[in-house]
Amino acid sequence: MDKRQKQRLSERDICTKFITPAITQAGWDINTQIREEVTFTAGRIMVRGKLHTRGKKRRADYILYHQKNQPIAVVEAKDNKHSIGAGMQQALAYSEALDVPFVFSSNGDGFLFHDRTGNASQTETELGLEEFPAPAELWKRYCVWKQLDNASVPVVEAPYYDDGSGRTPRYYQAVAINRTVEAVAKGQDRILLVMATGTGKTYTAFQIIWRLWKSRQKKRILFLADRNILVDQTKNNDFKPFGQAMTKISKRQINKSYEIYLSLYHAVTGSEEEKNIYKQFSPDFFDLIIIDECHRGSAKADSAWREILNYFSGATHIGLTATPKETKEVSNIDYFGKPIYTYSLKQGIEDGFLAPYKVVRVDFDIDLKGWRPRKGQKDKYGNLIEDRIYNQKDVDKSIVFDERTDLVAMKVTEFLQKTDEFQKAIVFCDDIDHAERMRQSLVNLNPQRVQENSKYVMRITGDNNEGKAELDNFIDPESRYPVIATTSKLMTTGVDAKTCKLVVLDQRIQSMTEFKQIIGRGTRIDEDYDKYWFTIMDFKKATELFADSNFDGDPVQVYDPSPNDPVDPPDDGLPDVNDDDTDGGISGGPFEPGDDTAGGDGEPKQKYYIKGEPVNIVGERVQYLDSDGKLITESMHDYTRSCVSKQYASMDDFLRSWTSAEKKNVIIQELAEQGVLWDELQADVSKKYGAELDPFDLICHIVFDKPPLTRRERAENVKKKNYFTKYEGEARKVLEALLEKYADTGIEHIEDMQILKLEPFTKLGTPLQLVHCFGGKKQYQEAIQELEEALYG
């Protein structure tokens, strides 16, 4: 084939005729090692108002695998009008995300090969079509890059679990699994995985254990969690394939005949009298321990977690967390080492696997200005109020304003009534007392809903058995009640509430770890229940932590022991969870973990309750998460200008693109993928003009400040131009009907030939007959283009 003929081929034709044959001829198996057009992200969800849209998905032309779920090369294809290396930068970006070392770009003439291992004599090399490397050659280079010896390769080659359903790990899960298995195979005994809440840490852990267990690299494994509900969910869901080889340690019974053990860590520590049940195992019984939510107890030197880890110190320890704890006193990194892989909340949102959020900030005068009692003023229970200035850090901890609690409950109720009264909502309060008062206020503001079902609002806290019993129902998407949960510490972590659409922060949060965990309650997506994004209502400035540089970067170790300091960092002063395996994994005492309503001696702190003090809202704003992951306060119109201006520098650029496009719907869809929400813009502008505008006019008006025409006005202008005089009979009737359809529904519909299957076209004839009225499909499409020119001329 000569060069001119080759340049007329599409990119897909280049793949079919040249690239795929070159790869298969090198020995790659088309069925097991080659995947084409692999989409590996879901497309970022962009939210404005009540609507959302998805951005573009990332798609690699080819991914080559050593074996299933173990990618080692990316190939990016271009048509022959491009140079051989035109796709290299795009392919390199994909390779970094997918963690593959070998990168190829091709236009069908040959390959540009980029070796990321650093072991090649030349980083980039041009190869002929017949010189594509064989699978064995790239795998050998991969093993050298990863420093895998003959003993570790069989472990790395252990297959993933496959249930036959077609489910495969997401790309970042595969990276985490592969890196961990490789590290264990090479003898690394302390490993940290950081994965944002909602990204599938447990499924990732299952695949790691499965591959290490099946390869017999690890024979007896202990999975530790800090909440009973997490252990049960793990056993019944992700870990189910382990079957009879798995057991849950409960009722302090030890059976040493199993291979996979799941345990609430409190179930194996126990009191001094019980002599710590885990010591019934020999120190070398387990050779792998997975510590879920390791930012909690295992970061502390004297915790129950650490006792177990120290006892089984000869085992490989893998820590899983969304929020590694790094303070001056406490360090996950000091114990486990730097994370072997980090998949952040920001990246999860960017990829479209996690739900983005908008923030509603509400500020009260009494919080910002502070409050001081009058001389001799007593609270509603007759207690003399200490004379000092009380500010936001005191509110709901040492002083309570009933009117403030009611105002928070009122704003939450208003939000639910305007959006969806049955969307799951979690209200985070400062302590159990605050959570109970908030429950009461919400009950009084929602009498109709509470009358329908008394569980519409529930307090779910560690001291309340009735509330704890409803936790499973709250997180069950199919269970309507409870709808609103008030809590303090209990639901900050490990609660997989996929359908939670509202997170309310009426809690003063000073810990970045706790803040990330709370935000994580809303980040899961559940498309079956229309959960694509969530709202954060903030009443105590907690969302100011979004601006902290530590919010979503890689964890940075702070604890740095000197030669005379202990390797284990000292206690950070936070109380351990005092759970027992019999109480559902939740503290049964009067205060929740971290609940500071008690003093050091266990006695409640003095708290004043004020009734009748006026509380006013002094500021309220809505902020959105922009494409860079920053919270911005921006109107829909400003956001649209920003989106469009990135693609079209001027109105002339936009007009040229619109006029030259064979189908205007392509431009409409491209702008939608960048975040332009047409329906919301249409609803906003139509209020002003009393009619809907064409997307063309929406852009011209909103972005370039041009006076708009309605669709009906554009249609009438076409009629005045005598556009139809060149057509006769049925062809003219079809065009007149299309013009009416445009006026009613817009340009997208008249560009789609499927419209000919609808009324009134069906009365004129079949689609085939109507197209023949114009002389054929080509002439029909030319007539549509002429109609569009008349509309926008």
Side-chain angles (χ1 to χ4, degrees):
M1 183 180 291
D2 65 36
K3 189 68 174 175
R4 267 185 278 183
Q5 285 178 307
K6 203 171 188 179
Q7 288 188 340
R8 285 197 286 268
L9 295 177
S10 67
E11 180 183 300
R12 190 85 310 257
D13 287 335
I14 291 292
C15 291
T16 303
K17 296 177 183 294
F18 298 98
I19 298 177
T20 301
I23 296 172
T24 55
Q25 285 166 18
W28 295 83
D29 190 308
I30 192 72
N31 296 312
T32 61
Q33 293 184 299
I34 303 172
R35 287 183 63 197
E36 294 188 56
E37 296 189 299
V38 184
T39 298
F40 59 92
T41 69
R44 181 191 179 91
I45 297 171
M46 290 164 283
V47 181
R48 286 298 177 271
K50 299 175 184 177
L51 300 176
H52 73 274
T53 186
R54 276 201 185 264
K56 286 186 177 179
K57 301 175 181 180
R58 300 183 80 185
R59 181 185 61 80
D61 289 325
Y62 294 84
I63 300 180
L64 307 184
Y65 298 81
H66 172 63
Q67 61 180 19
K68 190 174 182 180
N69 297 314
Q70 200 158 41
I72 59 173
V74 172
V75 183
E76 187 61 27
K78 296 296 179 185
D79 63 37
N80 202 249
K81 298 185 188 75
H82 290 82
S83 67
I84 194 172
M88 180 53 72
Q89 291 188 159
Q90 187 178 352
L92 283 169
Y94 293 162
S95 72
E96 289 172 8
L98 297 168
D99 203 31
V100 301
F102 308 120
V103 191
F104 298 85
S105 173
S106 178
N107 65 351
D109 288 340
F111 296 93
L112 181 64
F113 174 32
H114 184 111
D115 187 328
R116 295 179 58 219
T117 66
N119 297 323
S121 58
Q122 194 170 330
T123 302
E124 290 194 350
T125 312
E126 283 200 22
L127 305 174
L129 287 173
E130 71 287 350
E131 295 179 293
F132 196 87
E137 179 186 342
L138 289 191
W139 178 242
K140 184 178 179 181
R141 291 195 192 191
Y142 182 91
C143 291
V144 171
W145 177 51
K146 290 286 189 173
Q147 299 178 329
L148 300 173
D149 57 24
N150 291 335
S152 56
V153 167
V155 179
V156 172
E157 291 184 325
Y160 280 67
Y161 172 76
D162 187 347
D163 62 3
S165 68
R167 178 186 183 185
T168 58
R170 291 172 175 169
Y171 84 89
Y172 62 85
Q173 293 171 337
V175 173
I177 295 162
N178 291 335
R179 283 194 184 183
T180 304
V181 170
E182 288 165 358
V184 174
K186 290 187 293 185
Q188 187 172 330
D189 58 5
R190 297 293 182 267
I191 296 167
L192 180 61
L193 273 180
V194 179
M195 295 172 66
T197 300
T199 56
K201 289 193 297 295
T202 310
Y203 175 69
T204 301
F206 161 71
Q207 289 286 6
I208 291 168
I209 296 170
W210 180 270
R211 294 178 65 196
L212 293 173
W213 180 59
K214 282 295 184 180
S215 69
R216 307 310 290 165
Q217 175 77 6
K218 302 297 179 184
K219 299 180 179 67
R220 287 193 289 251
I221 296 110
L222 174 63
F223 180 88
L224 282 173
D226 72 332
R227 293 279 171 90
N228 201 42
I229 188 173
L230 297 182
V231 176
D232 290 336
Q233 285 176 351
T234 299
K235 182 174 184 287
N236 298 329
N237 297 321
D238 286 322
F239 279 36
K240 192 174 182 179
F242 288 123
Q244 298 301 311
M246 173 178 59
T247 187
K248 174 189 173 184
I249 299 174
S250 60
K251 302 192 183 303
R252 310 204 175 276
Q253 300 296 314
I254 294 297
N255 185 330
K256 299 178 183 178
S257 63
Y258 293 92
E259 295 180 67
I260 311 294
Y261 292 79
L262 283 72
S263 178
L264 183 75
Y265 74 83
H266 313 99
V268 292
T269 50
S271 64
E272 189 63 33
E273 293 78 23
E274 293 167 309
K275 302 299 182 186
N276 291 319
I277 195 169
Y278 67 86
K279 292 185 178 178
Q280 292 183 36
F281 294 107
S282 64
D284 61 355
F285 184 83
F286 295 109
D287 43 23
L288 174 62
I289 300 178
I290 308 284
I291 307 99
D292 194 23
E293 305 291 358
C294 69
H295 64 278
R296 292 171 70 84
S298 66
K300 295 185 287 185
D302 62 351
S303 70
W305 295 85
R306 189 58 66 82
E307 289 179 30
I308 301 172
L309 299 186
N310 289 341
Y311 183 77
F312 298 114
S313 61
T316 299
H317 297 171
I318 299 176
L320 305 175
T321 181
T323 53
K325 184 168 282 189
E326 296 301 323
T327 69
K328 291 180 180 179
E329 295 82 24
V330 180
S331 174
N332 280 124
I333 291 175
D334 185 70
Y335 184 82
F336 291 102
K338 291 182 179 180
I340 199 167
Y341 183 62
T342 296
Y343 189 72
S344 66
L345 170 65
K346 180 179 179 181
Q347 189 61 53
I349 292 174
E350 181 64 32
D351 288 341
F353 294 124
L354 292 180
Y357 45 84
K358 64 179 181 179
V359 176
V360 178
R361 256 288 292 277
V362 182
D363 295 324
F364 299 133
D365 55 356
I366 210 161
D367 291 2
L368 302 184
K369 298 175 183 177
W371 181 85
R372 184 176 181 181
R374 299 181 299 277
K375 185 175 182 180
Q377 185 175 351
K378 297 180 178 180
D379 73 359
K380 67 180 184 179
Y381 297 117
N383 299 306
L384 181 65
I385 304 170
E386 181 186 351
D387 184 17
R388 65 179 179 87
I389 294 174
Y390 296 85
N391 54 35
Q392 191 174 63
K393 74 175 186 293
D394 300 304
V395 172
D396 294 311
K397 290 193 172 184
S398 55
I399 194 162
V400 171
F401 299 97
D402 285 355
E403 283 69 22
R404 187 191 179 284
T405 303
D406 291 341
L407 192 51
V408 171
M410 185 189 77
K411 296 303 292 183
V412 172
T413 300
E414 283 180 356
F415 179 86
L416 292 173
Q417 289 176 347
K418 287 179 180 178
T419 52
D420 176 6
E421 289 183 273
F422 288 95
Q423 61 187 300
K424 301 280 185 169
I426 306 176
V427 184
F428 286 96
C429 303
D430 273 304
D431 53 39
I432 290 173
D433 169 65
H434 185 195
E436 172 57 24
R437 289 185 289 101
M438 187 61 68
R439 183 199 67 81
Q440 294 172 21
S441 189
L442 286 164
V443 165
N444 289 332
L445 286 166
N446 293 273
Q448 183 180 346
R449 296 288 168 245
V450 173
Q451 188 175 11
E452 292 168 356
N453 191 307
S454 63
K455 294 179 181 178
Y456 181 77
V457 185
M458 292 287 290
R459 171 167 62 91
I460 302 180
T461 51
D463 70 323
N464 184 268
N465 290 330
E466 290 77 17
K468 285 190 294 183
E470 291 299 323
L471 183 56
D472 282 351
N473 288 328
F474 181 81
I475 65 179
D476 182 0
E478 295 184 7
S479 180
R480 194 171 203 184
Y481 300 100
V483 174
I484 307 173
T486 68
T487 190
S488 57
K489 302 294 180 186
L490 176 57
M491 299 175 73
T492 58
T493 185
V495 177
D496 189 4
K498 284 186 177 181
T499 55
C500 176
K501 292 185 179 181
L502 177 62
V503 174
V504 179
L505 305 178
D506 198 25
Q507 181 183 115
R508 191 167 184 266
I509 303 169
Q510 299 297 296
S511 161
M512 181 61 75
T513 298
E514 185 177 10
F515 179 64
K516 286 183 179 181
Q517 288 289 341
I518 287 175
I519 298 306
R521 298 315 100 209
T523 55
R524 288 169 173 83
I525 293 170
D526 194 326
E527 296 185 6
D528 292 338
Y529 291 86
D530 197 34
K531 163 69 185 302
Y532 293 91
W533 53 277
F534 69 107
T535 300
I536 301 167
M537 292 189 78
D538 178 18
F539 295 93
K540 286 190 176 170
K541 292 186 174 181
T543 51
E544 289 183 350
L545 286 169
F546 281 128
D548 193 308
S549 60
N550 293 321
F551 174 65
D552 203 19
D554 289 331
V556 178
Q557 182 175 11
V558 177
Y559 178 69
D560 185 15
S562 63
N564 296 323
D565 289 337
V567 174
D568 288 345
D571 189 358
D572 66 351
L574 296 175
D576 268 337
V577 187
N578 228 352
D579 294 348
D580 186 285
D581 192 42
T582 59
D583 72 355
I586 306 301
S587 172
F591 302 104
E592 290 186 68
D595 188 344
D596 62 0
T597 54
D601 57 0
E603 290 298 317
K605 293 178 181 178
Q606 177 66 59
K607 187 181 286 189
Y608 304 107
Y609 294 83
I610 313 298
K611 187 175 182 62
E613 194 70 32
V615 179
N616 300 296
I617 295 173
V618 294
E620 186 171 359
R621 64 183 184 273
V622 178
Q623 296 176 299
Y624 295 95
L625 199 67
D626 71 2
S627 58
D628 297 321
K630 303 296 183 184
L631 277 174
I632 54 171
T633 305
E634 190 173 51
S635 71
M636 176 64 67
H637 287 205
D638 289 341
Y639 182 77
T640 302
R641 288 190 193 99
S642 175
C643 283
V644 175
S645 297
K646 289 177 182 177
Q647 186 158 342
Y648 304 107
S650 67
M651 185 169 177
D652 286 342
D653 289 340
F654 174 67
L655 290 176
R656 275 194 296 270
S657 181
W658 185 269
T659 303
S660 62
E662 288 187 15
K663 286 199 171 186
K664 315 305 179 193
N665 197 37
V666 172
I667 294 177
I668 294 169
Q669 290 302 316
E670 284 178 351
L671 290 173
E673 287 178 348
Q674 293 177 25
V676 174
L677 295 169
W678 295 108
D679 291 343
E680 180 117 342
L681 283 176
Q682 192 70 261
D684 189 33
V685 175
S686 63
K687 292 176 187 175
K688 180 178 180 181
Y689 292 96
E692 292 193 349
L693 303 184
D694 188 282
F696 174 84
D697 283 284
L698 283 172
I699 295 301
C700 290
H701 176 54
I702 291 169
V703 180
F704 302 112
D705 298 317
K706 299 298 180 184
L709 293 174
T710 66
R711 290 202 300 257
R712 177 59 62 185
E713 287 171 333
R714 287 198 175 275
E716 292 300 324
N717 284 344
V718 171
K719 292 177 184 178
K720 294 174 185 176
K721 295 176 182 176
N722 295 320
Y723 162 76
F724 298 113
T725 54
K726 64 181 289 188
Y727 294 97
E728 296 179 350
E730 297 301 301
R732 178 166 181 164
K733 290 178 182 178
V734 169
L735 289 172
E736 288 173 343
L738 284 170
L739 189 61
E740 281 301 307
K741 282 290 184 183
Y742 163 80
D744 290 338
T745 62
I747 193 68
E748 307 100 300
H749 298 95
I750 72 168
E751 290 185 332
D752 188 347
M753 289 186 68
Q754 296 297 314
I755 199 172
L756 298 178
K757 295 180 180 179
L758 306 176
E759 290 188 359
F761 304 100
T762 53
K763 296 177 181 178
L764 300 175
T766 67
L768 188 60
Q769 290 171 334
L770 297 182
V771 169
H772 279 306
C773 292
F774 292 86
K777 183 177 178 180
K778 181 181 178 183
Q779 290 85 349
Y780 171 80
Q781 291 174 334
E782 288 174 351
I784 298 298
Q785 288 178 0
E786 287 178 7
L787 177 58
E788 290 180 344
E789 288 171 9
L791 281 167
Y792 301 112

